[in-house]
Amino acid sequence: MAKMWAGVTSGQTSKLADDFNSSLHFDWRMYRQDIQGSMAHAAMLADCDIITHMESQQIIAGLQSILEDLDSGKLTFDRPCEDIHMFVEEILTERIGEPGKKLHTARSRNDQVALDLRMYLRSEAGEIRQLTKAVIKALAGQAEAGQGYIVPGYTHLQRAQPILFGHHLLAYAMMLLRDDARIRDAMVRMNFSPIGSCALAGTTYPTDRRSEAAALGFDGICLNSIDGVSDRDFCLELMSVFSIEMMHLSRLAEELILWSSLEFRFVRIDDAFTTGSSIMPQKKNSDMAELVRGKTGRVYGDLMALLTALKGLPLAYNKDMQEDKEAIFDAVDTVKMCLQIMAPMLETMKPLPENMKKAAQQGFINATDLADYLTRKGVPFRTAYKLAGSIVADCMDKGLVLENYPLEEYLKHSDRFDGDVYDAVNLENCVSRRISEGGTGPASVASQLSYVKEQLKK
Ligand code: ARG
């Protein structure tokens, strides 16, 4: 069919090419931004005497009616249009006639699409920040409730040292706070308007890019028009941050899966976020957590897809860049879904402190404290470490733990032992003695918790 852009070409494209070329089936999602951008553009054109105020008002009213009809569903996207920009312009011209044809003065789809995408992502990134905060809040809530629960801390997935459950959860809160800060930083760099860059070189019309940018809530304009239409860093930067955030969520999801297994039994995930098996009646599977872990790969894939699409592209706009949208939309959708499910799953998760404690009592996770005890008594740490090691080995042989290893046995290893050794290997003491800032001691965990809560209020 003949195209709006029929000029030197006949505009007669094959149906196959039309379908291949069209982005409307995915870029329709930017219709609000597209219309909002066009309204600001029409207003600027009139303010700069490029079109009349009458024409501008007609355009804005026409765009408003399109917006309302799309919002209400009266108007749908089932037209053979090349993209959302053509779609809106075509309907506008149908509705208001000649003035509609003036809207595209002093702009191009190249700057228009870059504008729409920045505005769309500005709003999505804002939502993702809110959703991130909801997950942090859920983590802080569980950390607060579980402040006193002792659980083994792991390295190499081997029981290592006793920690507070709240301490472990707050580690994730810290990571997500940084993710939130990274999104905020990316948004600062993204909030510059490309509109008015036109096809690539700017325009001969006396436009006012800055007032148009300000009307659309931007902090300024892209200073180089070629950069304005070619830059997709803002997509890559957000996708990088989303990838990091998904990596964090996947680690947390993995721990939920482990912790809720029969092997650990540290937490119970609410039935609302688990599934059963079709043949094994006893099964309770952590599908939601597994999907969060699994969907992390998609987001990495989206980032790689766009990085690869942009690699080696000559300036300025190339149609390859239309591939940006499906990648970033998928990344946005995926991160949002994962954050949306993680918050209530964490909120409703039931910690099982008895089991945590039982696990902490096995595995000699107080062996470091035994060595530290001897060190306090004047034994050099390396010697103390060796002594503690042989005591642990002896306990294993005898089926004992450090807490009930008899004093006369301790004395066979070193004459520095005394009755106070039991104090030193007591798990509660092991935790409360870790007074270093950021450590697992209750005071430190409490101050981490208030830091996180403070950040959430900002
Ligand atoms: N649908 C296009 C995209 O998403 C809009 C820009 C098209 N510009 C052009 N000169 N063909 O990138």
Side-chain angles (χ1 to χ4, degrees):
M1 60 151 21
K3 293 294 180 301
M4 212 186 274
W5 39 253
V8 72
T9 84
S10 66
Q12 299 290 338
T13 51
S14 87
K15 167 91 170 67
L16 266 178
D18 286 348
D19 291 347
F20 188 65
N21 202 28
S22 173
S23 53
L24 184 61
H25 64 284
F26 53 83
D27 65 16
W28 63 265
R29 346 180 158 198
M30 306 191 301
Y31 76 87
R32 285 196 189 90
Q33 290 77 21
D34 195 74
I35 291 173
Q36 207 192 338
S38 289
M39 286 174 167
H41 191 65
M44 182 280 292
L45 289 177
D47 289 344
C48 295
D49 292 325
I50 300 166
I51 62 174
T52 68
H53 280 282
M54 177 63 114
E55 287 164 335
S56 168
Q57 278 157 19
Q58 283 173 286
I59 292 171
I60 292 170
L63 288 168
Q64 183 61 37
S65 75
I66 297 173
L67 180 61
E68 282 162 17
D69 291 352
L70 286 173
D71 277 344
S72 71
K74 206 166 130 192
L75 188 61
T76 54
F77 296 100
D78 57 359
R79 279 184 181 231
C81 291
E82 200 174 308
D83 53 32
I84 185 60
H85 326 295
M86 291 298 207
F87 173 91
V88 172
E89 196 182 325
E90 192 177 294
I91 296 170
L92 179 70
T93 306
E94 275 173 23
R95 291 193 178 182
I96 68 164
E98 286 304 299
K101 297 183 188 166
K102 295 196 172 179
L103 171 62
H104 211 53
T105 314
R107 75 173 185 186
S108 138
R109 276 184 299 156
N110 297 352
D111 54 345
Q112 194 181 351
V113 70
L115 174 79
D116 293 2
L117 196 49
R118 282 175 193 247
M119 285 168 58
Y120 173 81
L121 289 176
R122 183 170 66 188
S123 115
E124 292 295 322
E127 268 184 51
I128 291 173
R129 288 193 65 192
Q130 288 314 312
L131 294 170
T132 302
K133 289 196 176 121
V135 174
I136 300 172
K137 196 162 163 250
L139 284 166
Q142 286 286 1
E144 183 150 33
Q147 261 182 105
Y149 304 160
I150 294 181
V151 67
Y154 293 79
T155 63
H156 312 271
L157 200 57
Q158 306 287 335
R159 290 176 197 170
Q161 290 182 342
I163 55 167
L164 292 177
F165 186 54
H167 191 207
H168 196 111
L169 293 179
L170 288 172
Y172 285 109
M174 300 293 178
M175 296 175 210
L176 291 175
L177 279 176
R178 287 195 298 277
D179 293 331
D180 177 55
R182 274 186 273 264
I183 299 175
R184 184 193 62 210
D185 293 349
M187 286 172 80
V188 170
R189 266 183 294 282
M190 178 167 73
N191 206 30
F192 290 85
S193 167
I195 198 71
S197 298
C198 303
L200 80 162
T203 180
T204 53
Y205 293 97
T207 52
D208 183 353
R209 287 189 60 202
R210 286 181 191 271
S211 73
E212 189 171 350
L216 292 170
F218 285 95
D219 295 321
I221 59 168
C222 301
L223 291 176
N224 178 306
S225 61
I226 301 172
D227 180 42
V229 291
S230 309
D231 165 37
R232 292 295 181 274
D233 307 5
F234 59 96
C235 299
L236 294 174
E237 203 174 345
L238 278 177
M239 278 198 270
S240 309
V241 177
F242 296 159
S243 294
I244 296 174
E245 181 160 13
M246 285 301 299
M247 176 275 292
H248 289 148
L249 292 182
S250 78
R251 294 180 78 169
L252 176 55
E254 167 68 4
E255 301 222 86
L256 295 182
I257 296 162
L258 284 174
W259 290 345
S260 59
S261 72
L262 205 55
E263 280 67 18
F264 282 77
R265 283 191 299 159
F266 291 174
V267 301
R268 200 178 170 283
I269 298 180
D270 194 89
D271 286 357
F273 301 99
T274 58
T275 60
S277 153
S278 51
I279 63 158
M280 297 169 281
Q282 87 286 5
K283 287 297 287 292
K284 177 167 167 167
N285 298 328
S286 326
D287 287 28
M288 310 314 138
E290 288 167 40
L291 277 172
V292 169
R293 188 178 57 184
K295 284 178 188 292
T296 303
R298 285 177 78 111
V299 177
Y300 295 0
D302 293 329
L303 170 63
M304 286 318 296
L306 185 56
L307 273 173
T308 312
L310 293 172
K311 177 186 174 296
L313 273 192
L315 301 178
Y317 179 85
N318 301 268
K319 194 71 175 223
D320 313 45
M321 292 161 76
Q322 180 164 286
E323 290 293 309
D324 57 2
K325 280 171 284 301
E326 280 166 297
I328 187 83
F329 292 167
D330 185 71
V332 162
D333 289 347
T334 307
V335 177
K336 281 171 79 175
M337 270 193 294
C338 291
L339 290 166
Q340 269 158 356
I341 200 110
M342 280 304 257
M345 182 157 64
L346 286 166
E347 266 161 31
T348 54
M349 169 184 91
K350 197 176 159 349
L352 303 169
E354 293 298 312
N355 297 335
M356 295 178 186
K357 188 71 187 284
K358 250 182 249 159
Q361 283 160 346
Q362 296 154 4
F364 300 96
I365 61 179
N366 42 6
T368 315
D369 299 87
L370 183 65
D372 284 346
Y373 166 85
L374 284 173
T375 310
R376 277 199 302 277
K377 302 257 172 175
V379 180
F381 181 77
R382 271 293 149 229
T383 314
Y385 171 91
K386 279 219 172 86
L387 285 169
S390 47
I391 292 168
V392 166
D394 196 35
C395 280
M396 284 174 168
D397 284 346
K398 297 191 162 82
L400 295 170
V401 291
L402 299 178
E403 290 91 321
N404 60 15
Y405 193 62
L407 185 57
E408 56 273 26
E409 292 295 331
Y410 272 118
L411 286 165
K412 285 184 194 162
H413 296 269
S414 163
D415 59 5
R416 307 286 174 96
F417 280 112
D418 211 334
D420 57 357
V421 66
Y422 298 104
D423 236 31
V425 297
N426 168 283
L427 289 180
E428 275 80 14
N429 293 342
C430 294
V431 165
S432 62
R433 284 213 185 98
R434 289 209 156 65
I435 50 169
S436 58
E437 216 180 332
T440 208
S444 159
V445 173
S447 93
Q448 293 170 43
L449 184 63
S450 30
Y451 171 80
V452 170
K453 284 180 167 175
E454 214 35 61
Q455 295 299 308
L456 283 176
K457 274 190 222 146
K458 282 186 188 165

